[in-house]
Amino acid sequence: MSYSKDTRTLQTGDIYVAIRGERYDGHAFVDEAIRKGASAVVVEQSFDVGDLPSHVAVTSVDDSVTYLAEAACDLVEEHGPEVVAITGSVGKTSTKNAIATVLGTKFDVLASEGNFNTVLGLALTVLNGDFDGRSKLVLEMGACQEGDITELCGYFRPTVAVVTNVYGVHLETFGTLKTVARTKGEIVAALESGGTACLNADDPLVRNMAERHGGRTIFFGEHGQVTPRDLTVDLPLLGNHAVQNALAAFAVGRALGLEPCDINAALVTLKPEKGRLQKLPGINGITLVDDSYNASPASTLAALDVLQDLHATRAIAFLGDMLELGGPSHVEHVRILEAALDRCDDVYPVGPLMGKAARQVGLFGNHFESSREAALALREEDMSMVRFGDVVLVKGSQGTRMERISRALLSEEVIPEEVLPRQDASWLAGEQ
C-alpha cells in the first residue's frame, strides 16, 4: 500500500495524504482522492471530516509532513538499513545516481527519485520503497537554510555522508558562503558512531568538514585518497564534474567494501540524466546539449567548458536567469555572460536578470524576455539563430523553464517526454 500526495497520480488503494503547500492545499482534493479509489486519507486536524464516506479510514494529525517523516523514520529504525546521505551545492542528484549504480552491483538499493531531497520527498521515498536490513538507502538531502540538513538527518541518520562541494547557491536564504558550508557540514556532524564521511578533497570548505565527526574519512579528488587514477574506464558522461561524481561514488563503494574493479565496471554503465548535459539530436542537423534542469554560476561555467570542448562548427548558448543568488546576482550574471562570449560564437540571454547583464556587457539584440518568447521564435523557424553543424547549449534555473527552448530545438524524430525534464503540460504552460 502506497502513500500519495497527488490525486493526478494516485492509484486505487493508495493512502492519500493532504499536504498544505505554498500554492495548493491538498485538503481541497480529498473528495477527488476518494473518488479515485483512495483506501484511506491523512488530513490535518483543522480539516472537517464529517462528510467523508464511512468506508474510508481517516487519520487526523497535527502536521501531515511530520506524520509521514515520523512514519518513515520508524520504518528505517525497524529494518535497520545503512543510509548513504548526499548533499552539496551542485551535483547532488548526479552523484546520488552514480552511488546507487555502484552499490547496486552488490546490494539491494533504494534511492530517492529525481531531486526529492526534502523531508516530504524522502519520507515518501522510504514509505513507498521496498527494503530490509541488508539494503542500502541512498538519499539526496537538500537545504535552503541552516538546520535543514540536521532535520533530515534526524529522521534518516546516515552511516555514510557525502559532500560534493560548497558554492554560493541559495544565498537569498543562506546569506553567506560560510553559512552554506556550515549547513552542508551538518550531514557530517550527524553521522552514526563509526560512520564514514566521503568528502571532496579539492574543496577546502568541504575538506574542513572532516573535523565535525570522529569517525573515518575518505577524501576524493585530485588531492584525495580516491583520485582520477582510480578510474580505469572512460565515463560515458560529459564534463569534468562527471569525474568528481564518479570519484564520490568510488569512495562510497570502498567505504562499503566494494572492490575497485567492480566499481569501475558499474561506472562505465552510467547514463546521462534528463536535463543534465545530455547530448541530443536537434533540428536541422544541430547537436543539442540540454542542461536545462537547473543552473548556478559554477554549473553554468562547467557547461560552457563542455560546449567549448565539443569543437563545433559554431558554439551557441541559450542562457537563462540563475535564481536565488542573493546580493551577488547581477555580478554573477555579468561574469557568466562574459565567459560565454569568450567561449561561444553566439549567446542568447533569456530572462530579466540575464537581460540586465547583457546590457552591461554590450550584448544587444539577442535577448529574450522569457523562454516562452525564445521557443516561439525558434518554432517560427528563425534559423538565423541556429544552423547545420552547430552545437547548442540550453541552460538556466528551473524557474526559467528553459526546457521549452530545448523542446523547440529537439529533432522531430525524438519524443520530448523521453529525453527532456518537466514535460507535463501544466509546467510548460506556467509563468515565465
Side-chain angles (χ1 to χ4, degrees), residues 241-258:
H241 62 281
V243 174
Q244 285 294 103
N245 298 343
L247 292 178
F250 202 110
V252 173
R254 296 299 289 147
L256 295 178
L258 272 64

Side-chain angles (χ1 to χ4, degrees), residues 80-83 107-110 130-137:
E82 290 187 295
V83 176
F107 308 106
D108 288 331
V109 173
L110 173 63
D130 182 17
F131 64 94
D132 58 29
R134 296 165 294 181
S135 304
K136 309 299 178 189
L137 302 190

